[in-house]
Amino acid sequence: MFIALNDKKEYIRATDANKTQRFICPGCREKVVLKNGDIKQKHFAHFKQSACATFSENETPQHLAGKLQLAIYLQQYGDVKIEAVIPEISQRPDLLMQRGKRQIAVEYQCSPISKQRLEERNNGYLSQNIKVIWILGDNYLAKKMTQGTILKFLANNELVFYTLSTEKFIHRSSFTKCDFESVRYIESTNSNLFETGKTIGKPKIDVEKQVYKLQNLILQSRVDEKLVNYLYKNNRVLLHAPIWIHKGCQFGLMIPNWQWRLLVILLLERIGTGHVVHQDILICKLSPYVIGEARFKKQQLLIMLEELEQSHFILQREQYILVQKLPAWYESVQQKLYKVRE
């Protein structure tokens, strides 16, 4: 192994150590010896009788190196243990940090992990009042992540990556998803794990382009037939829907923004102008279309309600919503595009 604890209980790399010091294993706390052979690079080794399993043979070099680098970085904030066992939940985080009275588990994730397994680990830490921080490795940074994968690891509206080559943290935040486009986000690189991500306003949307893209979907019969038939029975045409449906860029939806926003309009129409509804009714109707855990879903729904109020479609008073006015439908696509170009 390439890292150990010195006499001062500080993490030290083998390349920076010398044989005049004494060292112990960060995991089992047994004595280790510094070796510097002609063939193998400088490293620490257990004595032959040791049964330490802290550094697994199945562990990838990337994961091991990242875990050790993070241990060295985090020791400035408190006592850090590598793969310390939490017996109450039979879990062993990559790093367990004692910061004042608070314990923090740090997981350096390089390989794929299922949503179910991740939730099991998170729930285990939660049961012991241990905060958990998931840091993603280079493999995740290099690939194009789906909304579902992003939401698995999203915490405080940001993702954190750690790169081995630069020993820097990459923070991604302010995720948005316009229809027919990739996920957008703000990215910053620094040496601080605990720096919060930046926030930005709503991105500019080319509404005319959105209308034409939706028109192509309809021509290709790639729009929900039930929705098209429902509109037809109510003497409505999808492309004549209010311009407002094309202005969405909300992240974390199971359906396109235009479809979600159309459902919102149809719900408001059903309630009717001048009528009042409890906030929970709208949230209950719309939440199945949002991915993620309950807190994220509610956050996204409250953003939607705020936008409706800013557009003067609704008025919110405590937990109740008054429908003030409804957005206009158009007689033709040409009339709609003329309005867009004004």
Side-chain angles (χ1 to χ4, degrees), residues 258-269:
W258 68 260
Q259 187 173 350
W260 198 52
R261 293 163 78 88
L262 178 59
L263 292 177
V264 171
I265 289 174
L266 294 176
L267 277 172
L268 294 181
E269 287 180 348

Side-chain angles (χ1 to χ4, degrees), residues 139-151:
N139 292 345
Y140 280 96
L141 184 64
K143 68 181 182 180
K144 186 176 180 180
M145 298 172 69
T146 65
Q147 291 190 82
T149 302
I150 293 170
L151 283 167

Side-chain angles (χ1 to χ4, degrees), residues 107-169:
E107 297 280 13
Y108 184 54
Q109 193 65 32
C110 299
S111 59
I113 182 172
S114 69
K115 181 181 177 182
Q116 180 181 349
R117 180 63 182 143
L118 187 139
E119 287 178 350
E120 287 173 357
R121 294 189 68 81
N122 284 341
N123 290 335
Y125 295 132
L126 181 63
S127 71
Q128 300 302 307
N129 196 29
I130 298 174
K131 180 181 177 181
V132 60
I133 299 175
W134 290 88
I135 301 174
L136 303 179
D138 290 303
N139 292 345
Y140 280 96
L141 184 64
K143 68 181 182 180
K144 186 176 180 180
M145 298 172 69
T146 65
Q147 291 190 82
T149 302
I150 293 170
L151 283 167
K152 276 198 310 187
F153 298 105
L154 196 69
N156 299 320
N157 295 318
E158 77 163 11
L159 291 184
V160 181
F161 302 82
Y162 180 75
T163 58
L164 294 174
S165 58
T166 63
E167 297 188 24
K168 299 282 187 181
F169 296 98

Side-chain angles (χ1 to χ4, degrees), residues 268-309:
L268 294 181
E269 287 180 348
R270 183 172 294 183
I271 296 165
T273 305
H275 290 80
V276 176
V277 65
H278 197 280
Q279 184 188 90
D280 288 347
I281 294 177
L282 279 182
I283 289 177
C284 181
K285 293 283 187 181
L286 296 171
S287 61
Y289 302 102
V290 185
I291 310 169
E293 43 87 26
R295 185 172 60 177
F296 176 80
K297 285 187 175 186
K298 186 161 186 180
Q299 182 186 54
Q300 296 304 98
L301 290 161
L302 291 177
I303 289 172
M304 169 60 76
L305 293 178
E306 183 180 352
E307 186 178 347
L308 287 168
E309 189 163 35

Side-chain angles (χ1 to χ4, degrees), residues 92-261:
R92 189 172 65 177
D94 290 329
L95 304 170
L96 185 63
M97 180 171 65
Q98 188 75 38
R99 194 178 187 187
K101 295 182 179 180
R102 190 77 188 270
Q103 281 190 311
I104 301 174
V106 177
E107 297 280 13
Y108 184 54
Q109 193 65 32
C110 299
S111 59
I113 182 172
S114 69
K115 181 181 177 182
Q116 180 181 349
R117 180 63 182 143
L118 187 139
E119 287 178 350
E120 287 173 357
R121 294 189 68 81
N122 284 341
N123 290 335
Y125 295 132
L126 181 63
S127 71
Q128 300 302 307
N129 196 29
I130 298 174
K131 180 181 177 181
V132 60
I133 299 175
W134 290 88
I135 301 174
L136 303 179
D138 290 303
N139 292 345
Y140 280 96
L141 184 64
K143 68 181 182 180
K144 186 176 180 180
M145 298 172 69
T146 65
Q147 291 190 82
T149 302
I150 293 170
L151 283 167
K152 276 198 310 187
F153 298 105
L154 196 69
N156 299 320
N157 295 318
E158 77 163 11
L159 291 184
V160 181
F161 302 82
Y162 180 75
T163 58
L164 294 174
S165 58
T166 63
E167 297 188 24
K168 299 282 187 181
F169 296 98
I170 296 175
H171 301 259
R172 288 180 181 174
S173 58
S174 293
F175 290 90
T176 58
K177 175 66 174 71
C178 298
D179 291 337
F180 314 107
E181 295 182 11
S182 300
V183 174
R184 300 185 194 179
Y185 47 82
I186 290 293
E187 183 172 290
S188 61
T189 303
N190 53 59
S191 301
N192 187 359
L193 169 61
F194 299 104
E195 180 173 301
T196 55
K198 298 177 181 178
T199 58
I200 57 170
K202 189 176 178 181
K204 187 176 181 180
I205 299 172
D206 187 338
V207 175
E208 186 172 351
K209 178 183 175 181
Q210 292 287 325
V211 173
Y212 282 125
K213 288 283 189 179
L214 178 56
Q215 186 178 46
N216 286 336
L217 286 185
I218 295 170
L219 291 173
Q220 296 168 20
S221 300
R222 293 170 59 192
V223 175
D224 186 356
E225 189 176 345
K226 291 181 180 178
L227 176 60
V228 175
N229 290 337
Y230 174 84
L231 294 175
Y232 179 77
K233 289 178 182 178
N234 287 274
N235 299 314
R236 295 274 178 78
V237 177
L238 177 54
L239 282 175
H240 301 174
I243 293 172
W244 185 79
I245 75 166
H246 304 288
K247 295 183 177 182
C249 60
Q250 211 142 353
F251 173 77
L253 300 181
M254 296 180 67
I255 57 177
N257 265 280
W258 68 260
Q259 187 173 350
W260 198 52
R261 293 163 78 88

